[in-house]
Amino acid sequence: MDFSLLLVLAVALSGVIYLLDVWLLKPKRRQRFAAAEANTQEGLDPVTSEKLLKEPWPVDYARSFFPVLLVVLVVRSFIIEPFQIPSGSMRPTLEVGDFILVNKFAYGLRLPVVNTRFLEVDDPERGDVMVFRFPNEPSVNFIKRVVGMPGDRIRYEGKQLYVNGEPVAKELIEDGPDGSPQQLLLEERLGDAEHFIYNNPRDPGPQMREVEVPEGHYFMMGDNRDHSNDSRYWGFVPEENIVGRAFAVWMHWDGGLPSFTSVRHIE
């Protein structure tokens, strides 16, 4: 179910009902009230007055919900949108149950539902954590790290990432960190972004010969390198599928009580 489409339809429907009342229904109610008041010398009693001027229930709901829905649509479409992390493909950067905030303005303003960019602001940079529509199923949102820019040559062999023929620098931080005893915790540098990744030395993981990123596309990888369904399997992300840049974790909830101790900036 496309929540953006439902929200747009709700705003449109409530807005049409509200405007229809302002331009047509409300003047007619006042006319009926004035005519009834003119036909009585004693004036209308409060019950009758209220009945004649009362808004129909669809108008009452539309008038109440339209401004709220409009604000939600504007904020969610053009400023910030919340998401929940459903899988461990971005560990250790993002854990299952993290609630994140995505900057919808960072890569330009896009029309809701169709996702067409109508105002250019900036383009993704190597190392950004980006939310995008999965190319094979656009109704599903994915989150990965931008590894390859348009024109880059990307290769992944022996758990080493290569960009334009150069190995991406990484440093071992810990062997068997808490919560992931079979993993190696490494710090990697992609562009200006320094972040942690997981590698499992006992898992051969995917291998990928060199590919070139087409214009208008991006190569995405998860930080949990041996457990991530990413561009190594299904290819490139077109520019029109971009949703926004993830920049903060504001809550963690794994089924128990929500926790705010994990609030942090996303590197």
Side-chain angles (χ1 to χ4, degrees):
M1 184 178 295
D2 192 330
F3 182 74
S4 294
L5 177 59
L6 293 178
L7 186 58
V8 168
L9 291 176
V11 170
L13 179 61
S14 59
V16 167
I17 293 174
Y18 178 66
L19 291 177
L20 183 65
D21 180 66
V22 170
W23 290 338
L24 182 62
L25 302 180
K26 189 173 184 179
K28 287 187 176 182
R29 290 197 302 273
R30 288 178 173 175
Q31 289 175 4
R32 289 196 299 268
F33 176 82
E37 195 174 40
N39 290 332
T40 177
Q41 296 180 346
E42 299 177 355
L44 297 176
D45 61 90
V47 174
T48 303
S49 298
E50 182 180 359
K51 184 176 180 180
L52 289 172
L53 293 174
K54 184 178 180 181
E55 297 175 338
W57 69 264
V59 173
D60 184 35
Y61 277 101
R63 181 172 56 82
S64 300
F65 285 110
F66 173 69
V68 177
L69 292 172
L70 182 60
V71 169
V72 171
L73 177 62
V74 170
V75 171
R76 187 178 183 275
S77 299
F78 306 128
I79 304 175
I80 291 177
E81 183 174 1
F83 288 90
Q84 182 182 11
I85 302 301
S87 74
S89 68
M90 281 297 292
R91 296 183 68 218
T93 304
L94 298 171
E95 299 288 342
V96 177
D98 281 346
F99 282 73
I100 66 170
L101 295 176
V102 173
N103 184 336
K104 302 296 290 287
F105 185 80
Y107 303 138
L109 296 183
R110 297 171 183 272
L111 294 174
V113 182
V114 295
N115 212 41
T116 302
R117 184 163 66 171
F118 65 89
L119 178 63
E120 294 187 8
V121 176
D122 206 349
D123 292 319
E125 296 182 359
R126 189 180 294 110
D128 286 358
V129 177
M130 189 170 79
V131 174
F132 56 93
R133 296 181 178 185
F134 183 38
N136 295 343
E137 192 175 348
S139 62
V140 177
N141 290 311
F142 269 31
I143 181 168
K144 307 291 179 186
R145 192 175 295 276
V146 179
V147 168
M149 308 287 289
D152 280 347
R153 293 176 288 109
I154 305 297
R155 176 163 58 100
Y156 189 78
E157 292 181 354
K159 302 189 184 300
Q160 176 63 56
L161 173 64
Y162 297 85
V163 177
N164 297 322
E166 297 294 329
V168 173
K170 60 181 181 180
E171 178 185 355
L172 178 63
I173 302 298
E174 187 177 357
D175 186 348
D178 292 343
S180 296
Q182 296 183 343
Q183 303 270 29
L184 298 178
L185 177 65
L186 302 108
E187 185 177 52
E188 182 181 76
R189 185 179 184 91
L190 269 174
D192 294 330
E194 293 183 352
H195 58 277
F196 295 117
I197 64 170
Y198 276 154
N199 269 149
N200 187 340
R202 288 163 287 277
D203 186 340
Q207 307 291 318
M208 191 192 72
R209 63 183 182 181
E210 188 171 88
V211 296
E212 183 172 340
V213 184
E215 286 300 317
H217 291 73
Y218 297 88
F219 192 95
M220 313 296 297
M221 291 179 66
D223 290 347
N224 194 355
R225 292 291 162 80
D226 298 309
H227 302 91
S228 174
N229 180 20
D230 53 37
S231 290
R232 293 171 290 179
Y233 297 95
W234 41 256
F236 310 103
V237 175
E239 186 275 335
E240 59 266 24
N241 283 42
I242 293 174
V243 173
R245 179 174 60 83
F247 69 94
V249 175
W250 64 276
M251 185 181 76
H252 180 85
W253 183 51
D254 55 7
L257 293 175
S259 171
F260 296 93
T261 59
S262 297
V263 174
R264 62 190 185 277
H265 178 73
I266 297 174
E267 297 293 343

